[in-house]
Amino acid sequence: GNMIDICPVGALTSKPFRYSARTWELSRRKSVAAHDSSGANLVVQVKNNQVMRVVPLENEEVNECWIADRDRFSYEALNGEERLTQPMLKQGGQWKEVDWQTALEYVANGLKNIQRDHGAASIGALVSPHSTVEEAYLAGSLLRALGSDNVDARLRRAEFVAGEGVQWLGTSIASLTTLQRALVVGSNLRKDHPLFAQRIRQAARHGAQVNAIASAAQKANNWAMPVANSVVTDASGWAQALADVAAAIAAEKGVAAPAAGNANAQAQAIAKSLLGGERKAVLLGNGAAHHANASSLLALANWIGEQTGASVGYLTEAANTVGTQWAKAQPQTGGKNASQMLDGSLKAVLLLNTEPEFDTAAGAAAVAALDKAEMVVTLSPFKANMAFSDVLLPIAPFTETSGSFVNAEGRLQSFHAVVKPRGEARPAWKVLRVLGNLLDVPGFGFETSQDVLAKVTAQPLQLSNAIRADVRLGGTVSEPGNAPVVAAIYQLDGIVRRAASLQQTADAQEVA
């Protein structure tokens, strides 16, 4: 996609956009990418209240002059036939379009009844990490006002550790370009985080040594950059591989190792690399974040970072993984986490921008679990979750609402709507605000999304990848079905999944 931008004569053109409009007919409006965690700045080009093309807005500190293909082409889904444009209720097994008042009163009354009959602990909310800061905050505030702490945006996680900090990149995005040493664990770097990959590639071209611990499927040999040393092992072996590197570092420095490791030749090579150079980073990918033994991977990475002077951080999965943590879209006082909410015990579930079959670690099992609930409310731009939902509320995607994302480095970026909401769709923060008003929630009189953001930013963002954990090597992750759940490049979220051109690419076909 970036070849379109750099072609000096305009001979390379965007196939989805070609012949659809003249350039001078388009309005140009700034926005922020809604998919991976780079927070790329965009120019969204609009004609007749419809997104026609998406191109990069230059920002040297974030995306330079590039954007990922999913940011460039996913707009097709916004104009597609699967858009939900009217509230819908399921009555007698049939879906019927209703007005907003009817739909919201149905939801409010349903929540009150379930709260009365089963207790607030029977109500939960699963929040997409692609939702805005404001949406995540209001979803959590609404649940807690009802008396429930069952809210979570960590949808693909397999391990949940109490008291963890707000996980982030551990360094600035721009600094990736000047690294001299890097160790990437559990990531298909080139596909999962293409803009981070191109920065690390720049570093490699200037002599940086890139090391990898990854599965064969993560293709560290195909990252479009030289990889100095790599350990190829399935997910169950990542902790042991890190322990081996730690053992090699410990032997080199004459200190005690944090876990039983074998300082083999591969581990020694990675250790020697990390002990050299000045600017270095240990980067944990989506596979490491979603691992059943994630706390051990982080504890080992932190030890390696301390001994070698490397920063330690997560590449982070989604546009607002950091922001949803800041907005407290996860249990604060012992509520159920995302995995526990999908065990079939909840009576009422709010799904914000989430399709649990595709977006959670539970996968297909989530459908059966949600089918047991008395009321499932889906807030989505698309006709999603229709098999087990009782209410569909059409909310605006990022192009049709104002809001904020926080990228992997902790950078808060706010944006405005670039087009009007389609049909009867409404910004999710407004839908949640009205729902809160119907439920008599105090302090829900927000006039703008900036008013909501002010509630979040009143508490400074505390970034921390510190963790206290006993290191476990191997264990349950080696059992079938316990591999980390990582979304493929064009399955990351509901918008990307519905973008026709992206689904025709070789990457999408390989997954299929």
Side-chain angles (χ1 to χ4, degrees):
N2 289 294
M3 297 303 294
I4 297 166
D5 294 332
I6 64 175
C7 178
V9 296
L12 299 177
T13 58
S14 166
K15 197 171 182 180
F17 171 73
R18 190 171 51 182
Y19 309 136
S20 61
R22 301 288 188 183
T23 300
W24 57 83
E25 297 173 333
L26 303 173
S27 300
R28 291 163 176 78
R29 295 161 190 176
K30 297 178 182 179
S31 191
V32 178
H35 304 298
D36 67 33
S37 61
S38 62
N41 290 198
L42 309 177
V43 174
V44 181
Q45 300 184 347
V46 175
K47 179 183 177 184
N48 297 331
N49 203 48
Q50 183 168 315
V51 176
M52 304 297 291
R53 183 164 61 177
V54 176
V55 296
L57 175 64
E58 190 167 338
N59 185 330
E60 283 298 316
E61 293 183 331
V62 181
N63 56 299
E64 299 173 291
C65 60
W66 314 112
I67 55 174
D69 285 353
R70 56 188 160 214
D71 297 322
R72 185 183 299 274
F73 297 116
S74 62
Y75 73 87
E76 287 182 298
L78 306 177
N79 308 321
E81 294 181 358
E82 286 194 60
R83 280 297 302 272
L84 179 66
T85 57
Q86 185 79 22
M88 299 180 77
L89 289 179
K90 188 184 286 183
Q91 298 176 335
Q94 299 295 315
W95 284 104
K96 296 182 179 179
E97 293 185 347
V98 297
D99 59 49
W100 269 107
Q101 187 73 17
T102 301
L104 289 173
E105 286 181 355
Y106 180 93
V107 174
N109 291 331
L111 290 173
K112 287 177 183 176
N113 292 339
I114 289 169
Q115 181 191 34
R116 181 195 64 219
D117 296 341
H118 303 286
S122 67
I123 302 171
L126 295 173
V127 177
S128 169
H130 300 276
S131 299
T132 66
V133 171
E134 296 82 353
E135 293 163 359
Y137 172 79
L138 288 177
S141 298
L142 181 67
L143 264 288
R144 292 183 183 110
L146 292 171
S148 172
D149 191 40
N150 304 333
V151 56
D152 209 347
R154 301 167 298 173
L155 303 182
R156 293 190 174 99
R157 286 270 199 99
E159 184 188 40
F160 300 87
V161 179
E164 66 184 18
V166 175
Q167 297 177 347
W168 69 300
L169 187 62
T171 185
S172 69
I173 292 173
S175 71
L176 298 178
T177 311
T178 61
L179 287 176
Q180 295 176 338
R181 301 289 189 271
L183 171 59
V184 182
V185 182
S187 175
N188 184 346
L189 184 63
R190 184 182 177 191
K191 302 298 183 181
D192 294 344
H193 297 93
L195 296 189
F196 295 165
Q198 72 85 19
R199 282 192 180 271
I200 295 172
R201 181 176 184 269
Q202 289 182 56
R205 292 181 66 189
H206 289 94
Q209 294 179 7
V210 180
N211 306 282
I213 296 174
S215 67
Q218 291 167 331
K219 299 181 181 177
N221 62 346
N222 191 28
W223 285 358
M225 68 182 79
V227 175
N229 306 287
S230 62
V231 176
V232 179
T233 178
D234 63 25
S236 63
W238 293 348
Q240 186 62 62
L242 271 177
D244 294 346
V245 172
I249 292 170
E252 190 74 23
K253 296 189 68 176
V255 298
N262 174 24
N264 53 47
Q266 285 178 310
Q268 288 177 8
I270 294 175
K272 184 177 180 181
S273 174
L274 291 176
L275 286 166
E278 294 179 357
R279 297 179 298 277
K280 32 200 167 181
V282 179
L283 301 169
L284 300 168
N286 297 346
H290 302 158
H291 203 282
N293 201 2
S295 62
S296 294
L297 296 178
L298 178 55
L300 287 163
N302 278 334
W303 188 91
I304 291 170
E306 289 168 5
Q307 296 296 322
T308 62
S311 65
V312 177
Y314 286 93
L315 294 165
T316 72
E317 177 186 38
N320 204 30
T321 298
V322 176
T324 52
Q325 294 174 86
W326 192 10
K328 294 183 168 54
Q330 60 194 55
Q332 302 295 303
T333 56
K336 293 183 176 181
N337 59 46
S339 177
Q340 293 166 335
M341 280 191 268
L342 290 171
D343 64 4
S345 62
L346 292 182
K347 299 298 181 182
V349 188
L350 300 182
L351 301 174
L352 178 56
N353 253 328
T354 299
E355 297 172 73
E357 183 178 1
F358 308 109
D359 294 333
T360 72
V367 176
L370 290 167
D371 218 24
K372 298 176 182 177
E374 290 184 16
M375 184 175 74
V376 177
V377 181
T378 290
L379 296 86
S380 174
F382 304 104
K383 294 175 181 176
N385 304 331
M386 298 184 79
F388 52 81
S389 292
D390 300 283
V391 189
L392 299 181
L393 301 178
I395 60 171
F398 76 104
T399 50
E400 299 169 16
T401 183
S402 58
S404 309
F405 294 137
V406 182
N407 70 2
E409 68 177 359
R411 181 184 295 260
L412 173 68
Q413 298 184 109
S414 296
F415 52 89
H416 298 289
V418 298
V419 292
K420 295 176 182 177
R422 190 161 182 182
E424 289 296 309
R426 294 292 180 266
W429 74 265
K430 289 187 177 181
V431 175
L432 292 166
R433 179 197 64 188
V434 174
L435 195 52
N437 293 337
L438 289 172
L439 290 165
D440 299 319
V441 175
F444 255 55
F446 303 104
E447 294 295 327
T448 67
S449 61
Q450 287 295 309
D451 292 342
V452 184
L453 182 64
K455 296 287 286 187
V456 180
T457 55
Q459 298 293 324
L461 176 56
Q462 301 288 342
L463 298 167
S464 172
N465 291 314
I467 193 168
R468 292 185 178 181
D470 295 327
V471 175
R472 292 182 290 116
L473 303 180
T476 58
V477 291
S478 61
E479 297 173 7
N482 277 335
V485 176
V486 179
I489 178 172
Y490 297 138
Q491 296 294 317
L492 186 61
D493 58 73
I495 297 176
V496 167
R497 285 193 292 268
R498 291 171 172 85
S501 294
L502 293 178
Q503 295 307 319
Q504 293 173 28
T505 62
D507 282 312
Q509 297 304 312
E510 182 178 310
V511 173

